[in-house]
């Protein structure tokens, strides 16, 4: 390959070495030493062939034709990306902001079958759970206010009657006031127990406990009251059912269940307490003979302050926390509690507690 002729010039541009004659249109590169120009290298510029010029022209024409199409394709692709990714992300961001404003009814559109669709589904589940929790908390506060208002109103009425001289301040009045104070204290204690259980603060003193003996002991406390009301108490418990549980709390569960049956079952009729064990659980049941509750009310019996209005009143039905407390204690033991119809047509409460070593 022939190399282009070179020419060496001094700092003033005078010829020194190399080709003496160069065509027009040369390239000139300075030679610098210590930032001072001492000479130049000069060589002719390579000529451009007509084919090269034509090729460059064609390339420019193609670029001008392709550029608008490329811009349109880029715009379409950007719109597609916006629709598929950016818009759902913005919707998710807006939904999260709505939840922080306690707008729990917010929902995101579903239907996508990708990760963003799964994220929208999970968001809607979270929003639904928060909406339900918020509603339950509002109802919980309203119910607590109502429950506390009743004994406080009674106390206030009796005290005003005493102060106005409408009722003598005798032993009967003092006993009535003490009864209302006791009812208020019991309600506050129940509310505190439920709050501790739901916050994970309910502590259990686990120890080897004979569940059969505990069932007999709990039932005996109610035998006279049940007999006076016309109930027939039956206790069935296998011997030596040793479980590692909090005996005081389990006794509270049995007492609440028997008290619940005593309040709402109709005498005369049977009331049975049974304790047995299967392969993995201890099973405790308390069943009465009726009238029971409607089937649609069974899943809600363990809700806080819930009452079946046809069968429960605030006078005879307590505060509606007994079964909720039972649920909290049983779940703290890792067990489950459920309500179903008894064989006698009444209500049966079934408690299942996992077997643990009682050594």
């Amino acid at each position: 390959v022939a190399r282009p002729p070179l020419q060496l010039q001094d700092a003033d541009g005078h010829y020194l070495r190399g080709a003496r004659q160069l065509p027009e249109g040369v390239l000139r590169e300075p030679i610098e030493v210590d930032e001072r120009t001492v000479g130049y290298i000069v060589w002719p510029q390579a000529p451009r062939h007509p084919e090269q010029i034509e090729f460059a022209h064609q390339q420019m024409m193609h670029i001008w034709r392709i550029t608008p199409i490329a811009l349109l394709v880029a715009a379409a692709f950007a719109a597609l990306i916006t629709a598929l990714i950016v818009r759902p992300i913005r919707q998710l961001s807006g939904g999260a902001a709505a939840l922080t404003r306690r707008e729990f009814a917010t929902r995101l559109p579903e239907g996508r079958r990708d990760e963003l669709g799964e994220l929208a589904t999970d968001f809607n589940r979270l929003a639904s759970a928060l909406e339900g929790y918020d509603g339950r908390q509002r109802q919980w506060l309203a119910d607590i206010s109502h429950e506390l208002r009743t004994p406080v109103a009674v106390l206030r009425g009796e005290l005003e009657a005493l102060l106005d001289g409408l009722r003598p301040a005798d032993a009967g009045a003092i006993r009535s006031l003490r009864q209302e104070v006791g009812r208020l204290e019991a309600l506050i204690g129940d509310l505190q127990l439920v709050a501790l259980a739901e916050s994970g603060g309910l502590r259990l003193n686990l120890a080897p406990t004979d569940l059969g003996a505990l069932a007999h002991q709990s039932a005996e406390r109610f035998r006279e009251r049940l007999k006076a009301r016309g109930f027939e108490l039956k206790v069935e418990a296998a011997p030596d059912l040793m479980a590692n549980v909090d005996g005081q709390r389990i006794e509270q569960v049995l007492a609440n269940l028997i008290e619940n049956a005593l309040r709402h079952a109709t005498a005369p009729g049977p009331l049975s307490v049974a304790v047995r064990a299967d392969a993995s659980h201890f099973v405790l049941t308390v069943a009465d003979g009726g009238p029971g509750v409607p089937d649609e009310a069974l899943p809600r019996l363990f809700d806080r302050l819930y009452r079946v209005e046809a069968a429960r009143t605030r006078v005879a039905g307590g505060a509606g926390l007994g079964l909720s407390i039972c649920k909290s204690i049983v779940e703290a033991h890792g067990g489950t509690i459920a309500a179903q119809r008894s064989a006698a047509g009444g209500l049966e409460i079934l408690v299942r507690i996992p077997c643990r070593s009682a050594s």
Side-chain angles (χ1 to χ4, degrees), residues 215-229 231 233 251-263 271 273:
H216 282 285
Q217 178 181 339
S218 299
E220 284 300 322
R221 292 169 49 193
F222 291 87
R223 185 175 293 277
E224 293 301 324
R225 291 175 59 192
L226 291 168
K227 184 178 179 180
R229 290 279 305 275
F231 290 100
L233 177 62
E251 186 176 11
Q252 184 179 5
V253 170
L254 289 171
N256 283 354
L257 295 180
I258 297 173
E259 183 71 35
N260 183 73
L262 180 61
R263 285 177 174 174
L271 195 153
V273 179

Side-chain angles (χ1 to χ4, degrees), residues 96-129:
L99 292 185
T100 61
R101 298 192 299 269
R102 302 183 64 84
E103 298 174 4
F104 299 129
T106 304
R107 297 294 184 272
L108 297 182
E110 300 181 18
R112 298 171 59 109
R113 297 184 179 179
D114 56 5
E115 288 77 4
L116 289 174
E118 294 177 0
L119 188 59
T121 301
D122 293 339
F123 176 91
N124 290 341
R125 290 174 181 170
L126 173 62
S128 179

Side-chain angles (χ1 to χ4, degrees), residues 205-359:
N205 297 317
L206 301 179
T209 304
D210 188 340
L211 292 181
L214 190 65
H216 282 285
Q217 178 181 339
S218 299
E220 284 300 322
R221 292 169 49 193
F222 291 87
R223 185 175 293 277
E224 293 301 324
R225 291 175 59 192
L226 291 168
K227 184 178 179 180
R229 290 279 305 275
F231 290 100
E232 179 186 358
L233 177 62
K234 297 180 180 180
V235 181
E236 298 178 2
D240 299 327
L241 289 177
M242 299 300 295
N244 194 36
V245 298
D246 187 329
Q248 184 177 358
R249 293 299 188 188
I250 297 300
E251 186 176 11
Q252 184 179 5
V253 170
L254 289 171
N256 283 354
L257 295 180
I258 297 173
E259 183 71 35
N260 183 73
L262 180 61
R263 285 177 174 174
H264 306 303
T266 302
L271 195 153
S272 63
V273 179
V275 184
R276 58 182 176 86
D278 58 23
S280 58
H281 290 81
F282 296 102
V283 183
L284 294 77
T285 58
V286 176
D288 60 60
V293 298
D295 291 341
E296 61 272 13
L298 291 176
R300 297 198 58 195
L301 287 181
F302 303 99
D303 292 350
R304 298 170 300 187
L305 302 174
Y306 176 76
R307 294 183 180 85
V308 181
E309 296 301 332
R312 302 183 179 187
T313 65
R314 283 183 168 81
V315 176
L321 286 171
L323 293 181
S324 179
I325 290 173
C326 291
K327 180 181 179 182
S328 299
I329 294 174
V330 171
E331 289 182 347
H333 282 82
T336 60
I337 186 170
Q340 60 189 21
R341 286 196 174 276
S342 67
L347 179 66
E348 179 179 81
I349 305 298
L350 180 68
V351 175
R352 294 174 61 84
I353 299 176
C355 294
R356 297 188 182 92
S357 174
S359 59

